[in-house]
Amino acid sequence: MAYDPRFGPNAQTPAARAWVLQQMQAVIPALRTRVTAHAQGLYDRYVAGELSWAEVRGTLDEASAG
């Protein structure tokens, strides 16, 4: 698998990104307690490698600002 610079060195595979997301949710409770269907879809796309975490946060921030 080629290195993808959109993800950190510890988040290159779907399993690693799922672990990273799980760790973030453990530290930032809002990431797991206020999960809308839209947010869950973005999380799923992050784990699948379709979106970087910066893209997920940007989309969520735009949705909350609007």
Side-chain angles (χ1 to χ4, degrees):
M1 172 179 8
Y3 183 82
D4 189 335
R6 296 181 306 150
F7 306 103
N10 296 322
Q12 289 294 305
T13 66
R17 286 187 291 275
W19 182 85
V20 168
L21 178 59
Q22 180 182 37
Q23 296 305 304
M24 287 191 293
Q25 288 173 324
V27 175
I28 307 168
L31 292 179
R32 72 173 182 279
T33 58
R34 293 182 287 172
V35 178
T36 63
H38 176 66
Q40 185 61 55
L42 294 172
Y43 295 169
D44 292 344
R45 291 181 65 195
Y46 165 72
V47 170
E50 297 172 17
L51 297 173
S52 69
W53 186 250
E55 292 168 319
V56 170
R57 287 305 320 158
T59 302
L60 291 174
D61 290 346
E62 286 175 10
S64 67

